[in-house]
Amino acid sequence: GTADVMRRQVIPPITRALASGSLPHETRLLDLACGTGRTLAQIAVAHPHLRLTALDLSPFYLQEAREALADVPDVSFVAENAEDLPFRDELFGIVTCVYLFHELPRPARRHVIAEAFRVLEPGGLFVIEDSAQLAESGELAFFMSRFATEFHEPFYRDYIEDDLAGALAEAGFIVESVEPHYVAKVFV
Protein backbone atom coordinates (compact mmCIF):
# COMPACT_ATOMS: atom_id res chain seq x y z
CA GLY A 1 0.00 0.00 0.00
CA THR A 2 2.79 2.46 0.68
CA ALA A 3 4.14 2.13 -2.86
CA ASP A 4 1.03 3.87 -4.22
CA VAL A 5 1.59 6.75 -1.81
CA MET A 6 5.15 7.07 -3.05
CA ARG A 7 4.12 6.88 -6.72
CA ARG A 8 1.69 9.77 -6.25
CA GLN A 9 4.62 12.13 -5.69
CA VAL A 10 4.84 12.61 -9.48
CA ILE A 11 1.33 14.10 -9.60
CA PRO A 12 1.92 17.51 -7.91
CA PRO A 13 4.51 18.66 -10.50
CA ILE A 14 2.09 17.63 -13.27
CA THR A 15 -0.75 19.49 -11.57
CA ARG A 16 1.40 22.63 -11.18
CA ALA A 17 2.45 22.54 -14.86
CA LEU A 18 -1.13 22.11 -16.05
CA ALA A 19 -2.45 24.79 -13.69
CA SER A 20 0.18 27.27 -14.88
CA GLY A 21 -1.10 26.98 -18.43
CA SER A 22 2.33 26.01 -19.73
CA LEU A 23 0.84 22.76 -21.03
CA PRO A 24 -2.63 22.10 -22.46
CA HIS A 25 -4.89 19.89 -20.32
CA GLU A 26 -5.22 17.39 -23.20
CA THR A 27 -1.47 16.98 -23.56
CA ARG A 28 0.16 13.61 -24.21
CA LEU A 29 1.87 11.91 -21.26
CA LEU A 30 4.36 9.07 -21.65
CA ASP A 31 5.08 6.87 -18.63
CA LEU A 32 8.44 5.14 -19.10
CA ALA A 33 8.68 1.69 -17.51
CA CYS A 34 5.02 1.82 -16.51
CA GLY A 35 5.11 -1.58 -14.83
CA THR A 36 1.65 -2.63 -13.71
CA GLY A 37 0.13 0.76 -14.58
CA ARG A 38 -0.58 1.83 -11.01
CA THR A 39 1.12 5.22 -11.43
CA LEU A 40 -0.81 5.93 -14.63
CA ALA A 41 -4.06 4.89 -12.96
CA GLN A 42 -3.47 7.51 -10.27
CA ILE A 43 -2.49 10.15 -12.83
CA ALA A 44 -5.65 9.35 -14.82
CA VAL A 45 -7.82 9.98 -11.76
CA ALA A 46 -6.09 13.30 -11.04
CA HIS A 47 -5.96 14.43 -14.70
CA PRO A 48 -8.56 12.57 -16.80
CA HIS A 49 -8.00 14.74 -19.90
CA LEU A 50 -4.40 13.67 -20.44
CA ARG A 51 -3.72 11.34 -23.37
CA LEU A 52 -1.71 8.50 -21.83
CA THR A 53 0.93 6.18 -23.24
CA ALA A 54 2.20 3.30 -21.12
CA LEU A 55 5.60 1.97 -22.17
CA ASP A 56 7.34 -1.04 -20.67
CA LEU A 57 9.85 -3.59 -21.89
CA SER A 58 7.82 -6.40 -20.32
CA PRO A 59 4.70 -7.58 -22.18
CA PHE A 60 3.62 -9.24 -18.93
CA TYR A 61 3.67 -5.94 -17.05
CA LEU A 62 1.83 -4.31 -19.93
CA GLN A 63 -0.91 -6.92 -19.64
CA GLU A 64 -1.26 -6.03 -15.94
CA ALA A 65 -1.30 -2.34 -16.91
CA ARG A 66 -4.06 -2.97 -19.46
CA GLU A 67 -6.17 -4.50 -16.71
CA ALA A 68 -5.40 -1.69 -14.23
CA LEU A 69 -6.27 0.93 -16.87
CA ALA A 70 -9.22 -0.86 -18.48
CA ASP A 71 -11.62 1.95 -17.52
CA VAL A 72 -9.31 4.76 -18.67
CA PRO A 73 -10.10 6.12 -22.13
CA ASP A 74 -7.40 7.19 -24.58
CA VAL A 75 -4.46 5.13 -23.29
CA SER A 76 -1.94 3.36 -25.53
CA PHE A 77 0.33 0.47 -24.57
CA VAL A 78 3.78 0.04 -26.09
CA ALA A 79 6.21 -2.84 -25.46
CA GLU A 80 9.59 -1.22 -26.11
CA ASN A 81 12.87 -0.31 -24.46
CA ALA A 82 13.06 3.15 -22.85
CA GLU A 83 16.61 3.46 -24.21
CA ASP A 84 15.33 3.52 -27.81
CA LEU A 85 11.84 5.01 -27.89
CA PRO A 86 9.73 4.34 -31.00
CA PHE A 87 8.22 7.84 -31.06
CA ARG A 88 8.87 10.90 -33.18
CA ASP A 89 10.69 13.87 -31.71
CA GLU A 90 8.73 16.27 -29.48
CA LEU A 91 5.56 14.15 -29.31
CA PHE A 92 4.85 14.35 -25.57
CA GLY A 93 4.18 17.28 -23.27
CA ILE A 94 4.91 15.21 -20.16
CA VAL A 95 7.17 12.23 -19.54
CA THR A 96 7.17 10.38 -16.22
CA CYS A 97 9.45 7.64 -14.96
CA VAL A 98 8.93 5.98 -11.60
CA TYR A 99 11.49 3.64 -10.00
CA LEU A 100 13.39 2.73 -13.16
CA PHE A 101 16.73 4.51 -12.84
CA HIS A 102 18.07 2.48 -9.89
CA GLU A 103 17.47 -0.67 -11.98
CA LEU A 104 19.77 0.47 -14.80
CA PRO A 105 23.52 0.69 -15.30
CA ARG A 106 24.78 4.27 -15.67
CA PRO A 107 25.10 4.24 -19.50
CA ALA A 108 21.50 3.00 -19.82
CA ARG A 109 20.33 5.79 -17.47
CA ARG A 110 21.98 8.31 -19.79
CA HIS A 111 20.29 6.76 -22.84
CA VAL A 112 16.86 6.93 -21.19
CA ILE A 113 17.42 10.57 -20.25
CA ALA A 114 18.49 11.41 -23.82
CA GLU A 115 15.46 9.65 -25.27
CA ALA A 116 13.11 11.42 -22.85
CA PHE A 117 14.61 14.74 -23.94
CA ARG A 118 14.17 13.82 -27.60
CA VAL A 119 10.48 12.89 -27.36
CA LEU A 120 9.54 15.76 -25.03
CA GLU A 121 8.23 18.91 -26.65
CA PRO A 122 10.07 22.17 -25.90
CA GLY A 123 8.85 23.50 -22.55
CA GLY A 124 7.54 20.05 -21.61
CA LEU A 125 7.82 18.38 -18.23
CA PHE A 126 9.94 15.37 -17.25
CA VAL A 127 9.23 13.99 -13.77
CA ILE A 128 11.36 11.19 -12.33
CA GLU A 129 10.72 9.47 -9.03
CA ASP A 130 13.24 7.01 -7.71
CA SER A 131 15.12 5.99 -4.61
CA ALA A 132 16.83 8.50 -2.38
CA GLN A 133 20.50 9.09 -3.11
CA LEU A 134 23.49 9.76 -0.89
CA ALA A 135 23.83 13.42 -1.93
CA GLU A 136 20.57 14.41 -0.23
CA SER A 137 20.12 11.53 2.19
CA GLY A 138 23.50 10.72 3.75
CA GLU A 139 21.78 9.76 7.00
CA LEU A 140 20.25 6.80 5.11
CA ALA A 141 23.63 5.58 3.80
CA PHE A 142 23.67 2.47 5.99
CA PHE A 143 20.25 1.36 4.75
CA MET A 144 20.96 2.24 1.12
CA SER A 145 24.18 0.23 1.13
CA ARG A 146 22.38 -2.81 2.56
CA PHE A 147 19.49 -2.48 0.09
CA ALA A 148 21.69 -3.43 -2.85
CA THR A 149 22.77 -6.66 -1.18
CA GLU A 150 19.58 -7.69 0.55
CA PHE A 151 17.34 -7.08 -2.47
CA HIS A 152 19.82 -8.18 -5.15
CA GLU A 153 19.91 -4.81 -6.90
CA PRO A 154 23.06 -4.95 -9.06
CA PHE A 155 23.06 -1.28 -10.17
CA TYR A 156 21.79 0.32 -6.98
CA ARG A 157 25.22 1.12 -5.46
CA ASP A 158 26.17 3.08 -8.56
CA TYR A 159 22.75 4.73 -8.70
CA ILE A 160 22.94 6.15 -5.16
CA GLU A 161 26.22 7.89 -6.06
CA ASP A 162 25.17 9.03 -9.55
CA ASP A 163 24.52 12.74 -10.12
CA LEU A 164 21.18 12.42 -11.92
CA ALA A 165 20.47 16.16 -11.73
CA GLY A 166 23.81 16.75 -13.45
CA ALA A 167 23.02 14.10 -16.08
CA LEU A 168 19.66 15.75 -16.75
CA ALA A 169 21.32 19.16 -17.17
CA GLU A 170 23.97 17.67 -19.50
CA ALA A 171 21.16 16.26 -21.67
CA GLY A 172 19.60 19.72 -22.01
CA PHE A 173 17.00 19.70 -19.25
CA ILE A 174 16.50 22.59 -16.86
CA VAL A 175 16.30 20.99 -13.43
CA GLU A 176 13.64 22.96 -11.55
CA SER A 177 13.76 20.93 -8.36
CA VAL A 178 14.97 17.79 -6.65
CA GLU A 179 12.50 17.02 -3.88
CA PRO A 180 13.22 14.43 -1.18
CA HIS A 181 10.25 12.29 -0.15
CA TYR A 182 11.21 10.00 2.74
CA VAL A 183 13.26 7.22 1.04
CA ALA A 184 12.55 8.53 -2.44
CA LYS A 185 13.16 11.70 -4.42
CA VAL A 186 11.46 13.46 -7.29
CA PHE A 187 13.31 15.27 -10.07
CA VAL A 188 11.33 17.93 -11.97
Side-chain angles (χ1 to χ4, degrees), residues 42-59:
Q42 293 180 69
I43 291 170
V45 169
H47 298 290
H49 295 96
L50 292 174
R51 297 169 61 197
L52 306 175
T53 300
L55 181 132
D56 203 282
L57 189 58
S58 167

Side-chain angles (χ1 to χ4, degrees), residues 19-160:
S20 75
S22 64
L23 296 170
H25 285 270
E26 302 81 27
T27 196
R28 293 176 187 266
L29 181 146
L30 169 63
D31 188 29
L32 299 175
C34 71
T36 60
R38 294 180 66 95
T39 301
L40 274 179
Q42 293 180 69
I43 291 170
V45 169
H47 298 290
H49 295 96
L50 292 174
R51 297 169 61 197
L52 306 175
T53 300
L55 181 132
D56 203 282
L57 189 58
S58 167
F60 305 104
Y61 271 148
L62 282 174
Q63 183 54 43
E64 293 290 322
R66 278 186 183 87
E67 292 172 20
L69 297 162
D71 296 333
V72 177
D74 205 9
V75 60
S76 302
F77 299 90
V78 180
E80 289 290 341
N81 189 331
E83 293 180 72
D84 188 23
L85 297 174
F87 307 111
R88 67 175 169 80
D89 295 356
E90 303 177 3
L91 179 61
F92 298 95
I94 303 169
V95 176
T96 58
C97 187
V98 177
Y99 296 119
L100 171 66
F101 282 85
H102 75 274
E103 301 283 355
L104 302 174
R106 190 176 297 222
R109 283 183 225 129
R110 298 312 188 265
H111 287 290
V112 173
I113 290 169
E115 281 294 277
F117 189 83
R118 182 184 65 77
V119 301
L120 195 61
E121 64 188 39
L125 178 70
F126 186 24
V127 184
I128 301 170
E129 180 172 9
D130 215 303
S131 171
Q133 292 182 290
L134 293 175
E136 296 86 19
S137 305
E139 64 277 3
L140 298 176
F142 171 78
F143 302 103
M144 286 190 255
S145 66
R146 295 194 47 100
F147 183 84
T149 303
E150 292 182 16
F151 292 95
H152 310 288
E153 295 280 352
F155 306 113
Y156 190 78
R157 277 195 175 86
D158 179 66
Y159 165 80
I160 61 175

